[in-house]
Amino acid sequence: MGAKTEADHISRAQVASFVPISPRVIQTVTSDTPKALLGATVTASPASVTLDEASTTFAVDGVSLALTQQKSGLPKVDGHPFCLILKMDLAIQRGSLILVTYQVTALWSNDSKPTPTKVLPEDTVPNELTTPGIQFVHWISADANTASGTLHSGEVMLSGPMGTAFFLHDDFRNFANAAFSPQLAETGMVEIVGGRGHSFTLSFGVAVQDPIFHLGSLASVLTFPAGTAVTRLSGDVGFVVAGNVVTGTAANPVPGPDGTVGLSDSNGSIQLSGTFTTITFTLVPNFADGNIPDGVFLQVGGMQSDNG
């Protein structure tokens, strides 16, 4: 993990990691109310830092350890197990923090010992926190004109023409491929509908810094207000960002290696620069002269702003 800072600004991030028992092997607990962990101690400290100035400041501000249930089965792990997750709050000023070392001592119950996993892929990370500090909306309700949810403990409201493909139990899996950044193994999703004159307003109960939009099956032109800084994070060939405009192209769905059919049209992720409590945009289909509605799968996330 690295975080660049300038001047007197202190950059902060939270990093999460599985606690391994051997290289790329972790422990899981399958009980609904895990009592396998009787107690634990943990220490953490910065191990490698790039100094921009002699007065570079760096620290581990906080550390916690808990058995946390993963929202989807990990590679080579069945079910939705509880895993031992280490979370560290990091801070650095005038430099780059590269590595952190930690030591964990855990006391397990003899009556409910955890199960070691098979060797996991090197890039396996906890599903609860795949990107430092970033969370995505937990959608709670949706109808033809609105959707609501929560983000960083604040209420989220989305108004505008909605479709019917809502995933309100954090079990949508089609944002878990290379077109999206960060990839989400399981998450919520709401369907917005592009059409002539269709506009949307997204409101956050807490200020969100640099919000991220996952856009699936986009065959429309999505336009933010003039001056909005939009960055393309990832996407397929037909997913294009130019200024404040995001354009998708109509296409047939492509079967996956396992024979299943995923998203169609264009897919990708964008990020808006700045701090927002309200975001507005329009959505107009990019095919059939805009006369046929276009359903677009949407998920939104971001970091909570220090100022809101």
Side-chain angles (χ1 to χ4, degrees):
M1 175 268 171
K4 292 293 291 182
T5 64
E6 297 179 356
D8 291 330
H9 176 69
I10 297 178
S11 180
R12 301 181 183 275
Q14 185 179 79
V15 175
S17 173
F18 291 113
V19 177
I21 57 175
S22 61
R24 292 158 54 193
V25 175
I26 62 175
Q27 294 177 321
T28 64
V29 178
T30 57
S31 170
D32 291 336
T33 55
K35 297 181 180 179
L37 184 65
L38 299 179
T41 59
V42 57
T43 58
S45 61
S48 181
V49 177
T50 298
L51 305 181
D52 287 351
E53 299 181 25
S55 57
T56 295
T57 301
F58 50 88
V60 176
D61 281 346
V63 61
S64 63
L65 193 70
L67 277 174
T68 303
Q69 189 174 26
Q70 299 299 286
K71 292 182 179 179
S72 66
L74 301 168
K76 301 184 180 180
V77 179
D78 295 329
H80 293 198
F82 287 81
C83 302
L84 193 58
I85 305 298
L86 171 69
K87 293 184 180 181
M88 294 175 286
D89 296 315
L90 309 176
I92 187 165
Q93 183 180 31
R94 303 189 187 95
S96 299
L97 183 57
I98 301 172
L99 293 175
V100 176
T101 60
Y102 63 86
Q103 179 174 330
V104 173
T105 301
L107 178 62
W108 299 99
S109 168
N110 289 328
D111 298 329
S112 180
K113 290 186 177 180
T115 303
T117 66
K118 299 177 181 179
V119 176
L120 302 179
E122 292 185 358
D123 59 351
T124 302
V125 296
N127 293 324
E128 291 290 341
L129 187 61
T130 56
T131 303
I134 294 177
Q135 295 181 13
F136 284 81
V137 175
H138 169 60
W139 296 103
I140 297 172
S141 65
D143 56 32
N145 300 298
T146 61
S148 65
T150 59
L151 179 64
H152 296 295
S153 300
E155 185 178 17
V156 176
M157 293 295 298
L158 174 63
S159 62
M162 311 295 292
T164 58
F166 305 129
F167 281 70
L168 307 180
H169 302 285
D170 295 328
D171 54 358
F172 183 70
R173 299 182 176 88
N174 283 338
F175 290 144
N177 64 65
F180 303 99
S181 180
Q183 298 180 36
L184 304 176
E186 287 192 333
T187 187
M189 182 274 287
V190 291
E191 183 185 27
I192 58 178
V193 177
R196 290 188 178 278
H198 287 196
S199 62
F200 298 82
T201 299
L202 180 64
S203 301
F204 303 111
V206 298
V208 176
Q209 178 181 336
D210 301 331
I212 293 172
F213 283 56
H214 282 358
L215 299 165
S217 291
L218 177 70
S220 293
V221 177
L222 188 156
T223 305
F224 294 100
T228 305
V230 183
T231 300
R232 182 185 190 274
L233 297 179
S234 57
D236 51 31
V237 175
F239 188 79
V240 178
V241 175
N244 61 317
V245 179
V246 183
T247 302
T249 304
N252 293 323
V254 178
D258 59 355
T260 60
V261 177
L263 297 173
S264 61
D265 304 328
S266 297
N267 305 278
S269 299
I270 59 171
Q271 186 167 40
L272 278 56
S273 298
T275 300
F276 297 83
T277 55
T278 301
I279 299 172
T280 60
F281 58 91
T282 60
L283 190 67
V284 179
N286 193 31
F287 63 97
D289 295 327
N291 294 320
I292 299 177
D294 177 36
V296 178
F297 299 156
L298 173 70
Q299 177 58 307
V300 180
M303 299 179 62
Q304 182 174 354
S305 171
D306 292 337
N307 299 320

